Amino acid sequence: MPWANNTKIPAVLIVEDEPLIRTGAVYIIEDAGFEVVEAASADEAIRILERRSDIRVVFTDIHMPGSMDGLKLAHAVRNRWPPIKIMVTSGRELIAEQDLPEGGRFFAKPYNPIEILAALREWAL
């Protein structure tokens, strides 16, 4: 994805506890031209968000170890960092739109990389 010469590459925070799945998501999103930051838990994601102001999207799995799952993380992000876009994914359950924070999107695993990239581009990061 071409970014203007003076435009910083948009950063996407991928929150996934399964290393192989996280690596696959990183590859897809980096290959599209985005900067990727990785976290293995919601707790780690919160620490990253508190340190970095350049994250534009949080892409999180629902089922993870730690003090909160990905759905709780999504709501926490919406409350603390409202401009950040939110993508939620799960291979174990389907999430209704009303269970997501406002503007959030759900992608069932195995997700289609084209759909993920289309959503990122639609948000015109």
Side-chain angles (χ1 to χ4, degrees):
M1 178 175 289
W3 306 107
N5 289 341
N6 295 331
T7 303
K8 184 164 173 37
I9 295 171
V12 177
L13 175 58
I14 298 176
V15 189
E16 170 65 63
D17 64 317
E18 295 292 335
L20 290 176
I21 296 172
R22 187 172 63 242
T23 299
V26 167
Y27 175 77
I28 291 164
I29 294 171
E30 276 185 343
D31 196 48
F34 295 90
E35 178 185 351
V36 173
V37 181
E38 300 176 53
S41 70
D43 300 314
E44 184 180 359
I46 293 291
R47 287 191 296 273
I48 290 168
L49 289 165
E50 288 173 342
R51 291 190 328 260
R52 295 188 61 150
S53 61
D54 62 332
I55 305 292
R56 297 291 170 254
V57 175
V58 170
F59 180 55
T60 183
D61 185 29
I62 291 178
H63 298 282
M64 290 182 290
S67 67
M68 68 177 91
D69 66 16
L71 198 52
K72 288 181 183 174
L73 171 64
H75 286 281
V77 169
R78 175 58 63 240
N79 289 334
R80 289 183 66 183
W81 298 279
I84 293 177
K85 305 295 186 188
I86 299 167
M87 298 174 140
V88 177
T89 186
S90 178
R92 297 183 192 171
E93 59 189 273
L94 296 176
I95 301 299
E97 187 174 332
Q98 64 264 23
D99 295 329
L100 294 169
E102 185 178 339
R105 295 207 183 160
F106 177 77
F107 298 89
K109 288 181 182 176
Y111 43 78
N112 181 337
I114 294 169
E115 291 176 4
I116 300 297
L117 296 177
L120 290 172
R121 290 183 180 115
E122 181 183 319
W123 281 332
L125 300 175

